[in-house]
Amino acid sequence: MPRRKRNAGSSSDGTEDSDFSTDLEHTDSSESDGTSRRSARVTRSSARLSQSSQDSSPVRNLQSFGNEEPAYSTRRVTRSQQQPTPVTPKKYPLRQTRSSGSETEQVVDFSDRGHLTGKHERHFSISGCPLYHNLSADECKAPTERQLRYKEKVAELRKKRNSGLSKEQKEKYMEHRQTYGNTREPLLENLTSEYDLDLFRRAQARASEDLEKLRLQGQITEGSNMIKTIAFGRYELDTWYHSPYPEEYARLGRLYMCEFCLKYMKSQTILRRHMAKCVWKHPPGDEIYRKGSISVFEVDGKKNKIYCQNLCLLAKLFLDHKTLYYDVEPFLFYVMTEADNTGCHLIGYFSKEKNSFLNYNVSCILTMPQYMRQGYGKMLIDFSYLLSKVEEKVGSPERPLSDLGLISYRSYWKEVLLRYLHNFQGKEISIKEISQETAVNPVDIVSTLQALQMLKYWKGKHLVLKRQDLIDEWIAKEAKRSNSNKTMDPSCLKWTPPKGT
């Protein structure tokens, strides 16, 4: 078999660090030597991955690989809300013709050659094949003499670590922290062995170099938000806008959030530990509405300040015009959730000033990306006007509205007016009467009538045209949604307007 080029990142590169890391993998592999061999399966995605790795290799051969059990991944939700089509696993061999002009095919079976790390009996792709890297399966499973010597050397270096800090050293460290605070790195000498401290310094320098390369390539800019995705419950969400999270979290590029208390964390491990002890299963506050699995909670920004601040920071990742982050005390937050056997999952929310001078019934409104285009946005808008009817007030959303918010509100106002005109039997109609019955601001009613071309000025009078074509179109849509439960039921609301702040 011809000799192949060794991949730098897949096997030992000759340095002491890579030898030691490989040795640690061999040590851990002893526990899995007795495990049973898993059945081989190749999916279409693994076939494409394997074939692409074959195309990039210096020698083109035919391989058929055994596959380990595929790992499960979280759902990824983007702005376009395109759901990937599930791929059914299918067994079939990978076949590839040599490009030398000869039509003969050479088949090499790597299924029983082990894995490069020595932990598994079989490997998934060519990059994990020991034979591809000019190694044998036995060489992968058994550490070399050089690796054993290096392991002993590291153990001796770590034994030289001091047992503890002296009183003078502790005073020196405390003085350094009081003098510089968070503007300087803490003193790290004598906290660990020289070997581990050297490893940390080299990793720190390499991370800085990688970050500088990204900045020079224009992928990131100084001071910009680097949060690209968030892990939120069962979903992985792509962010749309900048949100002022603390810099130590923003620079990570990915945040992990508890979907119940909205606490944000740095890693999957921290999130897993948090979820094991988090007792929250629904938003804090009073449940004022419940119909089926849909509930709405009223959360006071003054009583639950941390939760409301985290909710605002989360909303800013998907809203462009939001400016409120930390001053949440003058607001009430109405959080809509969907309940199942694990808890109440966040659908969306809207905030409202406790005492609004202009009678705004909504300050900020958001539907989470995974629940968009399912009718929940109109449910939130309808609920805000339902509260205004109970208060016997006329409401309107605070301006400026976001692009998605403006589209949702115009669609809602259109449905309200068409429903009112469909049920109206008189000959003269009053904008004021429509406003009092629907709790929609007269300005919003007039602007919607103008957009629908239903408001005309004739002989010194304003006339409202009852366009039957639009009403019939609305009736047809309502008939299709008759079985949907995406409507608010006023009888399920148990709420009295708050008195004062």
Side-chain angles (χ1 to χ4, degrees):
M1 184 173 184
R3 192 172 180 83
R4 297 170 176 79
K5 185 177 179 180
R6 182 185 298 268
N7 279 7
S10 302
S11 61
S12 175
D13 58 356
T15 62
E16 293 181 338
D17 289 339
S18 61
D19 288 341
F20 181 60
S21 62
T22 308
D23 175 69
L24 292 179
E25 291 181 346
H26 296 322
T27 304
D28 296 336
S29 68
S30 61
E31 298 178 1
S32 60
D33 288 339
T35 58
S36 60
R37 182 170 303 176
R38 297 177 179 175
S39 60
R41 293 188 301 176
V42 179
T43 62
R44 292 180 182 176
S45 58
S46 64
R48 289 194 294 270
L49 176 63
S50 304
Q51 190 158 356
S52 63
S53 62
Q54 285 178 308
D55 294 338
S56 62
S57 62
V59 177
R60 301 164 64 90
N61 287 331
L62 299 170
Q63 295 95 2
S64 61
F65 309 119
N67 185 16
E68 302 166 10
E69 292 185 1
Y72 293 97
S73 61
T74 56
R75 293 177 59 188
R76 189 178 188 86
V77 180
T78 61
R79 189 171 188 175
S80 61
Q81 285 293 299
Q82 295 179 353
Q83 296 294 337
T85 304
V87 179
T88 304
K90 180 181 178 181
K91 284 187 177 181
Y92 59 93
L94 299 180
R95 303 180 65 84
Q96 181 178 350
T97 306
R98 296 173 62 89
S99 59
S100 59
S102 173
E103 295 183 355
T104 60
E105 296 183 352
Q106 180 183 0
V107 178
V108 181
D109 183 14
F110 289 135
S111 60
D112 295 328
R113 297 296 183 178
H115 191 271
L116 184 65
T117 62
K119 293 183 178 180
H120 309 287
E121 294 292 336
R122 294 169 180 255
H123 53 269
F124 167 71
S125 63
I126 192 172
S127 61
C129 176
L131 188 59
Y132 175 76
H133 299 286
N134 303 311
L135 297 173
S136 66
D138 294 334
E139 289 176 340
C140 292
K141 293 181 179 179
T144 62
E145 293 184 1
R146 181 183 179 186
Q147 291 171 339
L148 292 175
R149 289 197 304 268
Y150 187 70
K151 183 178 180 180
E152 295 176 358
K153 177 182 176 182
V154 171
E156 292 178 358
L157 290 173
R158 286 176 171 167
K159 286 181 181 178
K160 297 180 180 179
R161 174 189 172 185
N162 294 334
S163 57
L165 298 176
S166 63
K167 184 178 180 180
E168 296 179 356
Q169 290 174 336
K170 291 181 179 179
E171 293 177 353
K172 180 181 178 181
Y173 288 5
M174 291 299 297
E175 182 181 357
H176 182 273
R177 177 175 296 182
Q178 293 175 358
T179 304
Y180 298 103
N182 295 328
T183 60
R184 297 285 183 88
E185 181 186 67
L187 299 179
L188 303 177
E189 288 74 13
N190 297 324
L191 292 179
T192 184
S193 65
E194 294 294 332
Y195 168 78
D196 292 315
L197 183 59
D198 183 59
L199 283 182
F200 171 74
R201 293 297 189 193
R202 286 153 61 182
Q204 195 178 41
R206 185 170 181 177
S208 300
E209 290 179 0
D210 294 341
L211 192 63
E212 186 67 17
K213 289 179 181 178
L214 293 176
R215 190 188 68 80
L216 294 176
Q217 293 173 2
Q219 299 183 17
I220 60 173
T221 57
E222 294 182 2
S224 66
N225 177 31
M226 296 169 57
I227 300 177
K228 303 301 179 184
T229 60
I230 60 172
F232 192 81
R234 303 188 303 268
Y235 302 94
E236 180 181 328
L237 308 178
D238 290 338
T239 60
W240 301 349
Y241 302 105
H242 164 78
S243 184
Y245 280 94
E247 184 180 356
E248 59 180 314
Y249 293 90
R251 70 161 66 103
L252 297 176
R254 180 173 181 174
L255 283 185
Y256 298 83
M257 294 189 185
C258 174
E259 61 176 331
F260 300 116
C261 69
L262 304 185
K263 177 180 175 62
Y264 48 90
M265 287 150 276
K266 295 182 179 180
S267 68
Q268 182 70 36
T269 303
I270 301 176
L271 176 62
R272 186 170 59 251
R273 292 174 179 174
H274 169 82
M275 295 302 295
K277 61 183 179 180
C278 182
V279 296
W280 289 32
K281 295 301 178 183
H282 60 80
D286 301 326
E287 184 181 16
I288 62 175
Y289 179 91
R290 180 191 292 183
K291 183 180 180 181
S293 61
I294 303 298
S295 298
V296 178
F297 293 83
E298 183 184 57
V299 185
D300 192 337
K302 187 175 183 180
K303 296 179 181 178
N304 302 278
K305 188 174 181 180
I306 301 300
Y307 177 87
C308 295
Q309 288 178 349
N310 291 340
L311 183 61
C312 291
L313 289 174
L314 173 63
K316 185 60 183 73
L317 293 172
F318 308 103
L319 295 176
D320 188 21
H321 293 82
K322 184 171 180 59
T323 56
L324 172 68
Y325 315 118
Y326 300 106
D327 186 19
V328 296
E329 295 183 5
F331 293 86
L332 292 171
F333 295 80
Y334 295 90
V335 185
M336 179 178 289
T337 62
E338 183 179 24
D340 59 13
N341 55 357
T342 61
C344 296
H345 304 281
L346 176 65
I347 294 177
Y349 86 101
F350 68 88
S351 59
K352 176 181 177 181
E353 281 188 275
K354 296 176 181 177
N355 294 313
S356 176
F357 177 72
L358 299 176
N359 285 334
Y360 288 139
N361 62 354
V362 168
S363 295
C364 177
I365 187 169
L366 169 74
T367 304
M368 293 297 290
Q370 67 269 30
Y371 291 101
M372 286 183 176
R373 302 184 65 85
Q374 300 178 36
Y376 291 107
K378 288 184 180 179
M379 290 180 67
L380 285 169
I381 296 174
D382 194 18
F383 188 77
S384 67
Y385 282 104
L386 180 59
L387 297 182
S388 297
K389 291 177 184 178
V390 176
E391 292 177 314
E392 298 180 351
K393 294 181 179 179
V394 173
S396 179
E398 184 177 338
R399 268 66 172 185
L401 290 170
S402 63
D403 297 336
L404 295 177
L406 183 60
I407 294 173
S408 299
Y409 266 98
R410 282 182 175 174
S411 177
Y412 174 78
W413 291 331
K414 175 183 175 180
E415 289 188 6
V416 168
L417 289 176
L418 292 178
R419 181 184 295 109
Y420 185 88
L421 293 175
H422 175 66
N423 298 326
F424 185 74
Q425 302 297 330
K427 294 183 178 180
E428 293 184 359
I429 194 170
S430 170
I431 301 295
K432 184 177 180 181
E433 291 178 359
I434 300 176
S435 176
Q436 290 176 349
E437 184 171 340
T438 62
V440 179
N441 192 288
V443 177
D444 299 329
I445 295 175
V446 172
S447 64
T448 305
L449 290 174
Q450 291 176 341
L452 296 176
Q453 297 181 357
M454 297 174 66
L455 189 64
K456 300 294 182 181
Y457 185 76
W458 185 67
K459 291 185 179 181
K461 293 183 179 180
H462 290 281
L463 302 178
V464 176
L465 304 180
K466 188 176 181 180
R467 293 183 55 182
Q468 193 63 35
D469 57 338
L470 293 179
I471 296 177
D472 293 340
E473 182 182 353
W474 168 77
I475 293 175
K477 289 183 178 179
E478 284 292 309
K480 293 180 181 179
R481 292 189 301 223
S482 60
N483 297 328
S484 175
N485 58 353
K486 304 297 177 59
T487 56
M488 303 303 295
D489 188 356
S491 63
C492 297
L493 177 64
K494 308 298 180 184
W495 178 75
T496 55
K499 298 179 181 180
T501 56

